[in-house]
Amino acid sequence: MDSSHESLDVKKKSNHVVDVNVAKDDNNVFGEDDSIPERRQIGLTSAIFIIFNRIIGTGVFATPSSILGLSGSVGLSLFMWVIGSIIAAAGMWVYIVWGSAVPKNGGEKNYLEYLFRKPKFLITSVFAANGVLLAWAAGNSLVFGEYILRAANVEPARWTLRLVGFACISFAFLLHGTALKWGLRLQNVLGIFKIFVLLFVIVTGFVALSGRMKVPKPDNFTNAFEGTTASASSFCLSLYNVIWSYIGFSNVNYALAEVKDPRRTVRIAGPVAIAVVTVLYMLANVAYFAGATKEEITGSGRLVAALLFRNVYGPKAERALSTFVALSALGNVLSVVFSQGRVNQELGREGILPFSKFWGSNRPFGAPLAGLGLHWIVCLIVIFALPPGDAYNFVINVISYPLSVINAAISFGIVYLAFRPYPDWPKVSVPAQLAAAFFGAANVFLFIVPLTKPPAGGEPYVSLPYWTHAVAGWAVFGLGFIYWVVWAHILPRVWGYQLRRVEEVGRDGLRRHVFKRIAKDE
């Protein structure tokens, strides 16, 4: 695209518009925004905790059973966590490169728009569909339900689990939508609390290793690779579960316009957070294998942490400590709902969604109630439409699948730009290019293999076909393409206008590139 710009003054009545410029070629501006330097409130320590608190959710408490079942052995299961940490580290390097090159709020949306500039607005529509239609908080709401029901000594039947999951996601939605400050306070308290829960799991593992248990001590570390499953499909699904537990390493990239010295901060915060989380995750998995047999773990479903507590401390302690894991899950739901509500709000404020003013509003409680409500609706569809036994795994897989496609695109994009850079693209080191190539190849594997039939016993679901999440992932992209055809082509021709991207600086101090309808004769 031609990089020349022509500034036009656009007068529009809006309570948040301070200044508007229109680019003649609708080109986006990808450089750093220094117009409101006092907005940069996030320092290095805060950036580390933004990543840290987003990564640690329910994955390390809920996925080890699935990973062991898919890998077949304790040794390969632990090795999968090592491989996942290496992939996450390479992914972190990819996001460091992009965060340094495009230090703006928005994360992958900006990176994809930087890479794919034609057809105009297509990548924006596809990413919007991916952001709006995926039920990020549904899986952890169900994990909350399972653990809180276990704490109450109630069997998590189909509708009981659904209703408790509904209560969890609804509480998070209403709290963040009507009482923002209290929602943030509770979210921060639970963010710290879930770190202590994870540390307690690790300490419990050391107690189990010492032999102080209510059941006979298991022997999982002798012949650790016995029973290993040799299947590309099982390997891929195991990695999905591990990578799900690492999702969030790019969290600070969504707020780089508010980070002090973003290029330096992102280079330090990401690796520190990944290193600490990797150590904690490995120790937690060792704890599970120290406190329960393979058969117990694979049969525990998402209640492996509760199983560990029961074997070491007894049934009463299991119920009490299950409450702690449930609160940890609630903390993650609050964090995810908070983030996704703002993603929907920003898509509304940029004029991408229909009824944009509604979705972009902060009314009536000074919080994005409408944006939060949109994510709430999507989560409820998943919670009530899917079989409870498959819902959590489906959420993991259907979110991980399109994310793998996006990560592959931005990773190979770094390699491509090393040979054919845009004028404003910085020089990227060879090690960073190799990390990007590795991360890209890993993600290609993750979105190709699920299309192949798994071996008997390696099916990812109880009731759903093995290909459900792959088809759903591509369907999300397909809906984004259809929306682009209607929004960017059919409606402008029918109603006689053209879409134009304009630049606005709002009262919140952030610069946005917003889509406006401009009469063709203007």
Side-chain angles (χ1 to χ4, degrees):
M1 294 180 66
D2 181 26
S3 60
S4 61
H5 290 76
E6 177 183 348
S7 294
L8 302 174
D9 293 328
V10 178
K11 296 181 180 179
K12 183 174 179 66
K13 294 182 180 180
S14 173
N15 61 357
H16 67 278
V17 174
V18 175
D19 178 51
V20 181
N21 290 310
V22 181
K24 182 178 179 180
D25 59 359
D26 293 299
N27 194 16
N28 209 338
V29 179
F30 295 99
E32 189 169 351
D33 180 8
D34 289 323
S35 58
I36 312 290
E38 60 270 20
R39 283 199 58 84
R40 298 189 179 277
Q41 301 292 325
I42 301 174
L44 177 59
T45 302
S46 296
I48 291 172
F49 275 96
I50 284 173
I51 299 171
F52 196 64
N53 286 336
R54 178 63 179 87
I55 291 178
I56 298 179
T58 60
V60 71
F61 303 122
T63 62
S65 172
S66 296
I67 294 168
L68 177 60
L70 290 164
S71 58
S73 70
V74 172
L76 183 57
S77 181
L78 290 172
F79 191 57
M80 294 304 300
W81 286 91
V82 174
I83 295 173
S85 69
I86 294 171
I87 293 174
M92 187 71 252
W93 207 338
V94 166
Y95 279 87
I96 287 172
V97 171
W98 278 109
S100 300
V102 187
K104 297 174 58 181
N105 284 0
E108 297 95 336
K109 175 178 175 292
N110 292 324
Y111 313 151
L112 291 169
E113 287 178 342
Y114 186 96
L115 279 171
F116 303 103
R117 306 189 178 192
K118 292 181 180 179
K120 284 197 302 185
F121 314 147
L122 172 59
I123 203 67
T124 304
S125 301
V126 171
F127 185 83
N130 184 71
V132 169
L133 297 177
L134 295 182
W136 289 79
N140 289 332
S141 298
L142 292 170
V143 171
F144 169 85
E146 286 193 284
Y147 272 94
I148 205 69
L149 288 172
R150 173 57 63 95
N153 203 25
V154 175
E155 181 67 25
R158 176 184 293 252
W159 281 101
T160 307
L161 180 58
R162 284 172 169 168
L163 290 173
V164 176
F166 164 75
C168 176
I169 190 73
S170 299
F171 171 76
F173 157 54
L174 292 173
L175 185 63
H176 277 318
T178 61
L180 179 59
K181 288 184 179 180
W182 283 104
L184 288 173
R185 287 168 183 163
L186 179 59
Q187 179 177 308
N188 291 339
V189 169
L190 293 177
I192 297 171
F193 179 77
K194 66 185 176 184
I195 297 172
F196 284 104
V197 173
L198 183 55
L199 291 173
F200 191 80
V201 167
I202 294 169
V203 170
T204 302
F206 284 109
V207 174
L209 285 172
S210 72
R212 299 174 183 176
M213 300 177 59
K214 301 294 184 182
V215 298
K217 183 180 177 181
D219 184 21
N220 286 323
F221 301 109
T222 303
N223 299 322
F225 285 90
E226 183 180 357
T228 295
T229 303
S231 162
S233 178
S234 297
F235 186 85
C236 176
L237 290 169
S238 294
L239 275 181
Y240 272 163
N241 281 269
V242 175
I243 291 171
W244 168 261
S245 301
Y246 276 98
I247 282 180
F249 61 75
S250 61
N251 210 32
V252 76
N253 288 60
Y254 297 108
L256 284 179
E258 300 166 61
V259 173
K260 299 174 183 176
D261 194 359
R263 291 182 174 88
R264 173 183 175 273
T265 300
V266 75
R267 288 188 179 107
I268 298 173
V272 169
I274 288 288
V276 173
V277 167
T278 297
V279 171
L280 293 177
Y281 278 5
M282 292 303 299
L283 291 174
N285 276 275
V286 170
Y288 297 141
F289 294 125
T293 65
K294 285 175 57 177
E295 293 74 21
E296 286 179 320
I297 293 173
T298 53
S300 67
R302 285 167 292 277
L303 297 171
V304 62
L307 169 66
L308 172 65
F309 297 147
R310 182 177 72 238
N311 285 357
V312 175
Y313 303 118
K316 290 183 179 179
E318 174 198 4
R319 292 175 59 185
L321 294 171
S322 292
T323 305
F324 295 164
V325 178
L327 291 174
S328 176
L330 175 60
N332 188 261
V333 171
L334 285 166
S335 176
V336 172
V337 167
F338 178 86
S339 300
Q340 290 306 120
R342 277 148 187 79
V343 168
N344 293 337
Q345 183 185 49
E346 285 302 308
L347 291 172
R349 286 179 170 178
E350 291 185 13
I352 299 169
L353 300 180
F355 312 108
S356 289
K357 289 184 179 180
F358 175 73
W359 301 119
S361 172
N362 259 339
R363 296 178 180 176
F365 301 106
L369 184 64
L372 292 163
L374 180 57
H375 189 62
W376 176 73
I377 291 170
V378 173
C379 289
L380 290 188
I381 292 171
V382 170
I383 288 172
F384 285 100
L386 295 178
D390 287 333
Y392 183 76
N393 287 335
F394 175 80
V395 170
I396 290 177
N397 296 334
V398 81
I399 288 174
S400 299
Y401 191 91
L403 188 60
S404 295
V405 177
I406 292 170
N407 282 335
I410 65 175
S411 299
F412 288 125
I414 291 175
V415 178
Y416 171 82
L417 291 170
F419 296 96
R420 301 190 63 180
Y422 290 119
D424 57 346
W425 181 252
K427 186 176 180 179
V428 178
S429 67
V430 173
Q433 294 176 39
L434 293 174
F438 169 73
F439 190 56
N443 280 281
V444 169
F445 173 81
L446 290 173
F447 73 74
I448 292 295
V449 171
L451 299 173
T452 63
K453 187 175 181 178
E459 295 84 359
Y461 306 113
V462 177
S463 305
L464 301 174
Y466 70 90
W467 41 259
T468 303
H469 61 276
V471 171
W474 286 111
V476 168
F477 289 136
L479 288 172
F481 175 81
I482 293 171
Y483 182 73
W484 171 72
V485 171
V486 174
W487 170 64
H489 292 279
I490 295 178
L491 291 181
R493 289 183 182 180
V494 171
W495 296 105
Y497 64 85
Q498 58 182 327
L499 280 179
R500 190 79 63 84
R501 176 175 267 152
V502 304
E503 186 177 273
E504 295 184 355
V505 179
R507 289 178 180 173
D508 59 2
L510 294 181
R511 183 177 295 167
R512 295 182 179 88
H513 295 87
V514 182
F515 291 97
K516 301 290 185 183
R517 297 177 182 180
I518 308 296
K520 286 186 176 181
D521 56 354
E522 290 187 22

